[in-house]
Amino acid sequence: LGTVRRLGAPPAASIMKIALLNLYLAMLPAVAASVALLKRRGIAPAPFLEITRRPMAFPPFVADFARRMVAGDFEHPVNDLCGLAKDLSVLTAELRAAGLPRAADLTTTLRRVVTQAVDGGRGAEDMCELVELLQGH
């Protein structure tokens, strides 16, 4: 992410990548659930979008996820659902291998939703379409 860091002997760098991936992937379903909630309750998303743009509160990708989910802007995927399913599998396996089954369980529902979409032929779709999957679309 812009800076080369020496982390020690392998697999330290791979584990660091997975730890950072965990943070990234934890935010995606939270944003999707928040946007889905606002849509279902008929609440205008503008204040939510404004708040997520505050860098002291949220990383910039959260605002981008929220904006794209609210707008239904899925034309240029950052990552597709197939890639998301792969990342979730890697993360879950590493958490279990590290003896963190409860942490791995946190990814179970998201993994199931994404895997069902991929198995249903939606693997090439933008991972931000998770908001649609949570709404049953």
Side-chain angles (χ1 to χ4, degrees), residues 29-99:
V31 174
S34 295
V35 171
L37 175 64
L38 294 173
K39 286 183 174 190
R40 283 287 169 96
R41 293 299 202 161
I43 297 171
F48 179 80
L49 294 175
E50 180 212 331
I51 292 166
T52 62
R53 284 193 300 266
R54 295 185 181 156
M56 293 299 290
F58 299 98
F61 69 84
V62 170
D64 183 56
F65 284 166
R67 179 196 60 75
R68 291 173 54 219
M69 288 176 185
V70 166
D73 177 9
F74 309 129
E75 292 299 314
H76 304 287
V78 173
N79 194 4
D80 59 27
L81 290 171
C82 202
L84 179 58
K86 178 201 62 87
D87 289 345
L88 287 165
S89 292
V90 168
L91 173 60
T92 302
E94 187 56 43
L95 289 168
R96 290 196 192 289

Side-chain angles (χ1 to χ4, degrees), residues 4 13 17-18 32 36 42 47 52 55 61 63 75 78 84 90 106-107 112-113 116 122 126 133 136:
V4 175
K17 178 182 176 185
I18 291 168
T52 62
F61 69 84
E75 292 299 314
V78 173
L84 179 58
V90 168
L106 294 174
T107 65
R112 183 173 47 249
V113 168
Q116 286 173 348
R122 297 182 67 176
D126 185 356
L133 297 176

Side-chain angles (χ1 to χ4, degrees), residues 22 25-26 29 88 91-92 95-96 100-112:
N22 183 47
L25 293 179
L88 287 165
L91 173 60
T92 302
L95 289 168
R96 290 196 192 289
L100 299 167
R102 288 184 178 162
D105 289 346
L106 294 174
T107 65
T108 301
T109 300
L110 177 59
R111 218 170 131 215
R112 183 173 47 249

